[in-house]
């Protein structure tokens, strides 16, 4: 599971590349198909049957509500899915009227926005108009209620985005995943098995590639592989993607290869060309590129001691990667673009872009041109190998994708799109009268002047996201971020004044971050919202990874790493001790509550200490918190004065 509104780009990239090299390649999105198979009248009946097997005293409020109002769910699910797919827009009248959908526990959140004057809890967000958006938000709450039912009654690991994530994320051994794969099938597993075998029967492949971008996709990927091996043992299976590239670099677990035959690292183009040649008998296994295989220990050992055990070996024949300009154009051919669900779970206009709308994903440049941030995996290929393509070629790709999909919305998924390349791209789009809407991720560096922001807006830029991380000049310097808080304010204000929405990635819990740092950072964020510099943000808890400068050189950041257990499977996050001793998780409650309200224009005039104090009191069960939150040392109008300068 990644997102339901648009396909994850890896399969589109690789399908386009393989076809450009004359390989017969097709793609399937079984995550979408799995959800759509559950959210039908028949699927809900099957969920109901599982829910009824639970003793009444053990059922959650979500499950009880679902069972009590099952006939309404059964009759509304298929029309609601069609509405979210954009196939029945007139249903918005009934959904927005609040008399069509059963409203379970998730709808209770609407009470927080109640407007006593109008009696309409959503009037502040949508006003008298905005009926389509209002209906889509209500329909999204309805699906979230059903997701809670799935989790509570069918599969405790279920989430739309992070399905079974704990089985794979930074798991030192394969054992938790192996136990889950050996367990009796859930309804989810049974559905996925049917979909997998249908796809195999339809396409008759000789090689299946499973792209696993996140830990939340790993369990299902191994289930898919398990079904293929059981019913079609002659088919070869290769595993790759972002999760593999970050977490399985030290893989030694032979049992992984009971499910897949090959595990490839980093950009897939060159390893796949080598693998295809190997399967065609044109290349020996010893000339595979960045590919793990399982071999008998006898064939690996240099000595003569006999062994019947199996060992994992990384084969990495030295061969240059396929240049970024030669990877071809992504294709979405074969994916049911009309079936993706346009959801509206967050009312903030910038935040909604991640779940609302069908975006064509495209990369402006491979890797990151900065590659210095101390929290980032700068040692890995997806960051360290920086390559660009000409603006002319990028617009050629854009035109080809628009022609194929009929969609003019693009999400540039770069780690940090370079300003020089974006400027050239914008000029080329304008010169060729190519009209698209696009957004992407950048560094808030001074090169993004108000003039450049205006140019990008003219070319179709609607939004930008970027990392402010911990809004503290001391910590930004320690992070080697290459920006200051005032610089970020000036750059983001330039975007906002050009009509471009701005989202800030924020971080807390960075090494040596004190309570005072955290309070001051929130004050900076408050002022950025207050002055219209940013419209959206999200606080992430800092995680130290073994591939980042912090993980590689912890002493430079004043921390000590906690030794990992022996690793045979996943290795990424690593715990550490920080001499400050700050309870960042507790402070994070206040940060997240504050940012949620700031995004809705609430509480911008309040002292930022109140968000922490309220969260601490709530955490303590209504009692006074154990410590006091210090007053911010940041002048209350510092950002305003910086902008005036």
């Amino acid at each position: 599971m990644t997102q339901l509104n648009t396909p994850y780009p890896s399969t589109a990239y690789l399908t386009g590349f393989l076809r450009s090299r004359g390989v017969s390649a097709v793609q399937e999105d079984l995550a979408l198909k799995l959800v759509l198979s559950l959210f039908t009248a028949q699927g809900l009946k099957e969920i109901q049957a599982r829910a009824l097997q639970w003793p009444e005293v053990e059922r959650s409020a979500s499950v009880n509500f679902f069972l009590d109002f099952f006939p309404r769910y059964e009759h509304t699910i298929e029309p609601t899915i069609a509405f979210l797919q954009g196939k029945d827009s007139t249903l918005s009248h009934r959904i927005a009227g609040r008399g069509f959908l059963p409203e379970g526990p998730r709808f209770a959140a609407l009470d927080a926005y109640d407007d006593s004057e109008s009696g309409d809890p959503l009037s502040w967000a949508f006003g008298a108009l905005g009926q389509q958006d209002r209906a889509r938000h209500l329909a999204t709450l309805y699906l979230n209620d059903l997701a809670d039912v799935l989790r509570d009654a069918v599969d405790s690991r279920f989430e739309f985005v992070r399905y079974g994530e704990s089985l794979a994320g930074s798991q030192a051994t394969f054992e938790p995943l192996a136990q889950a794969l050996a367990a009796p099938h859930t309804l989810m597993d049974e559905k996925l098995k049917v979909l997998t075998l249908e796809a195999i029967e339809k396409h008759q492949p000789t090689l299946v590639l499973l792209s696993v971008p996140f830990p939340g996709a790993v369990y299902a990927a191994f289930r898919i592989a398990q079904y293929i091996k059981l019913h079609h043992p002659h088919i070869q299976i290769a595993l790759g993607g972002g999760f593999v590239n970050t977490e399985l670099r030290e893989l030694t677990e032979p049992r992984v290869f009971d499910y897949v035959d090959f595990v490839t690292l980093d950009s897939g183009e060159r390893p796949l060309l080598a693998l295809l040649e190997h399967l065609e008998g044109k290349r020996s296994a010893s000339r595979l590129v960045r590919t793990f295989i399982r071999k008998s220990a006898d064939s690996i050992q240099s000595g003569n001691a006999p062994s019947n055990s199996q060992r994992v070996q990384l084969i990495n024949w030295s061969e240059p990667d396929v240049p970024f300009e030669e990877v071809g154009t992504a294709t979405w051919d074969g994916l049911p673009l009309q079936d993706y669900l346009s959801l509206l779970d967050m009312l903030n206009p910038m935040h909604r872009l991640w779940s609302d709308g069908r975006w064509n994903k495209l990369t402006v440049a491979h890797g990151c041109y900065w590659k210095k941030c101390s929290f980032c995996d700068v040692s890995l290929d997806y960051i360290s190998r920086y390559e660009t393509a000409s603006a002319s070629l990028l617009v050629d790709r854009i035109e080809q994708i628009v022609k194929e999909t009929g969609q003019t919305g693009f999400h540039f998924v770069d780690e940090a799109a370079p300003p020089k390349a974006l400027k050239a791209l914008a000029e080329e789009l304008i010169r060729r009268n190519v009209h698209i809407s696009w957004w992407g991720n950048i560094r808030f560096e001074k090169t993004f002047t108000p003039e450049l922001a205006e140019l990008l807006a003219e070319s179709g830029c609607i939004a930008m996201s970027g990392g402010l991380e911990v809004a503290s000049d001391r910590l930004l310097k320690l992070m080697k971020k290459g920006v200051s808080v005032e610089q970020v304010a000036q750059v983001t204000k330039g975007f906002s004044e050009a009509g471009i929405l701005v989202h800030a990635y924020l971080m807390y819990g960075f090494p040596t971050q004190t309570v005072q740092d955290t309070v001051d950072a929130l004050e900076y964020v408050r002022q950025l919202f207050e002055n219209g510099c940013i419209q959206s943000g999200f606080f992430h808890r800092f995680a130290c990874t073994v591939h980042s400068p912090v993980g590689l050189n912890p002493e430079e950041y004043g921390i000590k790493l906690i030794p990992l257990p022996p690793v045979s499977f996943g290795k990424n996050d690593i715990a550490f001790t920080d001499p400050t001793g700050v309870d960042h998780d507790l402070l994070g409650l206040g940060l997240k509550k504050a940012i949620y309200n700031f995004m809705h224009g609430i509480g911008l005039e309040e002292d930022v200490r109140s968000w922490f104090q309220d969260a601490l009191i709530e955490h303590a069960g209504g009692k006074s918190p154990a410590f006091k939150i210090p007053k911010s040392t940041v002048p209350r109008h510092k950002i305003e004065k910086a902008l005036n300068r």
Side-chain angles (χ1 to χ4, degrees), residues 138-449:
L138 294 169
T140 301
L141 294 175
Y142 166 88
L143 286 194
N144 288 338
D145 269 328
L146 288 173
D148 292 341
V149 174
L150 278 166
R151 186 191 64 243
D152 295 342
V154 176
D155 188 337
S156 61
R157 300 165 301 208
F158 180 79
E159 284 189 57
F160 280 135
V161 177
R162 298 182 175 89
Y163 181 33
E165 184 178 58
S166 62
L167 295 172
S170 296
Q171 281 285 2
T173 76
F174 188 65
E175 191 57 33
L177 197 54
Q179 291 180 11
L181 293 167
H185 286 181
T186 67
L187 176 62
M188 311 289 294
D189 297 327
E190 293 167 7
K191 293 282 187 184
L192 188 57
K193 178 179 180 180
V194 171
L195 294 169
T196 299
L197 298 181
E198 284 178 351
I200 296 298
E201 184 63 30
K202 176 182 176 182
H203 299 297
Q204 297 290 312
T206 55
L207 172 65
V208 170
L209 311 177
L210 295 171
S211 181
V212 185
F214 309 115
V218 175
Y219 169 75
F222 273 86
R223 274 293 193 200
I224 291 169
Q226 184 182 52
Y227 301 142
I228 295 172
K229 284 299 180 189
L230 182 62
H231 295 274
H232 302 277
H234 65 284
I235 294 176
Q236 301 286 295
I237 303 175
L239 187 73
F243 168 81
V244 176
N245 301 338
T246 53
E247 303 220 13
L248 300 190
R249 304 192 75 87
E250 298 179 23
L251 179 66
T252 60
E253 174 55 74
R255 288 180 293 174
V256 167
F257 296 87
D258 293 339
Y259 302 87
V260 301
D261 302 283
F262 308 97
V263 177
T264 68
L265 294 177
D266 300 328
S267 294
E269 290 85 3
R270 180 59 68 191
L272 288 178
L273 291 181
L275 177 56
L276 289 166
E277 287 184 2
H278 168 62
L279 295 177
E280 292 168 358
K282 300 176 182 177
R283 178 187 289 244
S284 67
S286 63
R287 294 179 63 237
L288 290 172
V289 178
R290 297 195 301 270
T291 301
F292 286 104
I293 60 174
R294 180 172 64 182
K295 300 178 72 173
S296 67
D298 292 338
S299 64
I300 298 175
Q301 292 171 350
S302 57
N304 296 320
S307 172
N308 295 319
S309 64
Q310 300 284 314
R311 300 246 181 116
V312 176
Q313 183 179 12
L314 175 63
I315 310 295
N316 190 11
W317 181 261
S318 181
E319 208 162 321
D321 272 298
V322 176
F324 182 61
E325 285 207 332
E326 298 176 16
V327 297
T329 302
T331 178
W332 282 262
D333 178 49
L335 296 178
L337 300 183
Q338 71 284 355
D339 290 345
Y340 287 86
L341 307 174
S342 193
L343 305 177
L344 187 51
D345 50 4
M346 176 69 77
L347 303 180
N348 179 278
M350 171 70 206
H351 219 83
R352 65 185 284 182
L353 293 179
W354 277 273
S355 64
D356 184 16
R358 233 286 297 142
W359 301 97
N360 298 313
K361 309 270 188 174
L362 196 63
T363 306
V364 174
H366 182 282
C368 178
Y369 67 97
W370 179 251
K371 54 190 173 192
K372 295 179 183 178
C373 298
S374 57
F375 54 83
C376 193
D377 293 337
V378 295
S379 63
L380 299 186
D381 176 78
Y382 79 100
I383 298 291
S384 64
R385 181 166 60 87
Y386 176 64
E387 292 184 26
T388 60
S390 70
S392 177
L393 178 59
L394 288 172
V395 178
D396 286 344
R397 291 175 178 173
I398 286 170
E399 288 190 308
Q400 188 173 332
I401 290 168
V402 170
K403 184 177 180 181
E404 177 190 297
T405 65
Q407 301 285 329
T408 60
F410 283 80
H411 177 197
F412 297 144
V413 292
D414 298 67
E415 296 301 317
K420 184 178 178 180
L422 287 180
K423 181 176 185 290
L425 175 62
E427 291 172 340
E428 186 70 5
L429 287 168
I430 293 167
R431 187 185 71 80
R432 288 163 59 169
N433 285 316
V434 175
H435 300 290
I436 63 170
S437 302
W438 63 270
W439 57 293
N441 193 56
I442 60 168
R443 292 180 60 249
F444 292 132
E445 61 165 83
K446 60 185 177 183
T447 313
F448 285 106
T449 61

